[in-house]
Amino acid sequence: MRTCSLIAIFYLMSANTLTAAELDWIQVSPDGKSFVTAEDQKPFVPWGFNYDHNREGQLLEDYWNTDWKTIEQDFAEMKQLGANVVRIHIQFGKFMTAPDQPRESALKKLGELLKLAERTGLYLDLTGLGCYHKQDVPGWYNQLSDVERWQAQAIFWSAVAKECAHSPAIFCYDLMNEPVVQAGKKRGTDWLGPGFGGKHFVQRITLGPDERPRPEIAAAWIKTLVEAIRKQDQRHLITVGLVPWSLERRGLQSGFVPDKVSQHLDFICVHLYPEKGKVKEALETLKGFDVGKPLVIEETFPLKSSPQEFEEFLLKSKQYADGWIGFYWGQTPEELKQGKTIGDALTASWLKFFEKNGPQFKGEQ
């Protein structure tokens, strides 16, 4: 039996008494600068985990049909650690059988995940259109034109929003993880960016050359998907996960300039990993995403810095950020302490910080 699984099971059994009605819906505060619960208007600070893969590197859809008990335990453990939000990543190819045909079995399984979140008392940051595993991307999807691809993506989001519209357990829809507009006057050759750890996290929303400015194209894409969602769901928040090189600076740029693409988004998300000796620079980057709407650091981890510098960054980021989402990969701090890798030690240190400082970041003390 997994270490601490008995405690996790206890939390899960306790959470089973929670009903969807007891989870208040989340909305942007009246002043537009933070989040509040809809009924009580209490401050809500997203504090949670990316649950993007398990300890073996499998994506959620790879094991949710065969190992549901592990997912239940992981949700209970994340709740026990103090999380209130879990970021879920779902792949386009697992949810669509054709450009205009959603996969009903996948939508049904998503519905079961919503019920688990409701029972556990966790909100979901639902990130869609993933193409993380290249082998899971349908051949027909790669052959679509830019316009056809946007249409298929809109159908994906319409189906997902219809499935989720009734549930208060959705914190937000994240349109895509790290989208990029094709740059230059030449047609691109690959929808996906370079791989990292066997997965492709960056995805282009266009391949063809376009005379419009890149931020204008990005804003039009966002508008297309938001309109598809709003036909099914008028209530849940919508955002998109931006790379730090989305700012208009010298060098690499994504085309998703925050202040030029935010008009159709409820809040801004950035993925930011501070580097060794560059905490000040990371904070300056974060400041660039503070454009008058709530700002969530949707991905962060001591990947490129020491644990001490990472903690310094998180604490100082409170002057700009309104939420923080790190990572949890199915291993408790106790299990990680038994590990023998640097990665195990880093993750254990992060989870210790997360559990200890959660009340401070969430404004509970």
Side-chain angles (χ1 to χ4, degrees):
M1 179 174 284
R2 296 170 56 177
T3 303
C4 289
S5 61
L6 286 176
I7 297 176
I9 291 171
F10 170 78
Y11 267 76
L12 186 61
M13 291 174 63
S14 299
N16 280 339
T17 62
L18 188 71
T19 66
E22 292 177 282
L23 268 181
D24 201 351
W25 295 67
I26 304 300
Q27 63 184 33
V28 174
S29 61
D31 64 4
K33 296 181 179 180
S34 60
F35 304 102
V36 294
T37 57
E39 184 175 349
D40 298 328
Q41 293 292 292
K42 293 181 178 179
F44 177 81
V45 179
W47 180 250
F49 298 112
N50 280 268
Y51 185 60
D52 55 331
H53 62 76
N54 63 9
R55 65 183 72 185
E56 283 81 30
Q58 292 179 303
L59 299 176
L60 184 62
E61 302 111 324
D62 294 333
Y63 61 94
W64 68 358
N65 286 315
T66 58
D67 196 8
W68 188 256
K69 184 176 291 293
T70 290
I71 296 172
E72 291 180 323
Q73 291 177 346
D74 288 344
F75 267 58
E77 288 165 1
M78 288 187 281
K79 179 70 173 180
Q80 179 188 344
L81 286 167
N84 57 21
V85 170
V86 176
R87 187 178 179 216
I88 298 298
H89 302 247
I90 56 177
Q91 292 195 103
F92 178 90
K94 295 290 188 176
F95 275 75
M96 300 290 288
T97 61
D100 59 350
Q101 188 173 345
R103 191 186 303 273
E104 292 301 325
S105 59
L107 292 169
K108 181 180 179 181
K109 203 67 184 179
L110 178 59
E112 294 178 23
L113 192 71
L114 283 174
K115 293 176 182 177
L116 173 61
E118 292 169 0
R119 293 196 304 271
T120 313
L122 289 168
Y123 293 92
L124 299 184
D125 172 341
L126 186 58
T127 300
L129 299 179
C131 291
Y132 303 126
H133 285 175
K134 208 165 189 175
Q135 66 270 23
D136 294 334
V137 181
W140 53 261
Y141 189 43
N142 287 329
Q143 299 303 315
L144 299 179
S145 67
D146 292 1
V147 172
E148 291 169 337
R149 193 171 173 99
W150 288 20
Q151 291 173 342
Q153 292 170 346
I155 292 172
F156 166 97
W157 269 118
S158 177
V160 169
K162 183 178 180 180
E163 181 67 34
C164 299
H166 67 282
S167 176
I170 293 290
F171 165 58
C172 71
Y173 301 121
D174 179 339
L175 299 177
M176 181 184 284
N177 185 74
E178 301 180 354
V180 172
V181 180
Q182 171 70 10
K185 298 182 179 180
K186 293 184 178 180
R187 179 173 177 80
T189 58
D190 196 339
W191 291 103
L192 305 182
F196 177 78
K199 295 176 173 58
H200 297 263
F201 297 105
V202 174
Q203 187 175 165
R204 295 178 181 87
I205 63 166
T206 56
L207 285 185
D210 196 311
E211 296 299 323
R212 293 175 295 172
R214 294 173 74 202
E216 184 178 327
I217 298 170
W221 176 81
I222 290 172
K223 182 174 183 290
T224 297
L225 300 188
V226 168
E227 287 178 346
I229 290 172
R230 290 301 180 220
K231 290 179 181 178
Q232 304 291 343
D233 185 345
Q234 295 288 324
R235 196 166 187 180
H236 287 125
L237 304 178
I238 301 175
T239 190
V240 65
L242 302 180
V243 289
W245 34 278
S246 295
L247 301 178
E248 288 184 305
R249 295 175 173 176
R250 295 180 61 183
L252 195 63
Q253 297 180 23
S254 73
F256 280 75
V257 183
D259 60 350
K260 295 182 178 179
V261 303
S262 64
Q263 59 266 45
H264 302 296
L265 299 174
D266 293 299
F267 65 98
I268 301 296
C269 277
V270 62
H271 302 169
L272 192 53
Y273 301 79
E275 297 182 18
K276 183 178 180 180
K278 296 183 178 181
V279 171
K280 183 178 179 181
E281 289 85 345
L283 291 169
E284 281 298 311
T285 295
L286 180 63
K287 182 180 179 181
F289 287 83
D290 189 9
V291 296
K293 293 191 173 185
L295 173 59
V296 173
I297 302 177
E298 193 183 35
E299 283 187 19
T300 193
F301 192 74
L303 183 66
K304 304 177 181 179
S305 67
S306 68
Q308 294 75 22
E309 288 176 310
F310 180 69
E311 292 178 12
E312 178 188 356
F313 165 73
L314 284 186
L315 291 169
K316 290 183 176 179
S317 72
K318 293 171 67 176
Q319 61 187 308
Y320 305 116
D322 303 289
W324 297 261
I325 303 178
F327 288 86
Y328 183 80
W329 295 302
Q331 289 180 283
T332 66
E334 289 74 18
E335 290 174 307
L336 289 163
K337 288 177 183 177
Q338 307 302 315
K340 300 179 180 179
T341 68
I342 295 177
D344 290 337
L346 282 175
T347 305
S349 174
W350 149 244
L351 292 179
K352 181 180 179 181
F353 176 90
F354 182 93
E355 185 174 22
K356 178 181 178 181
N357 291 278
Q360 176 192 166
F361 277 82
K362 290 185 290 183
E364 297 173 352
Q365 65 178 35

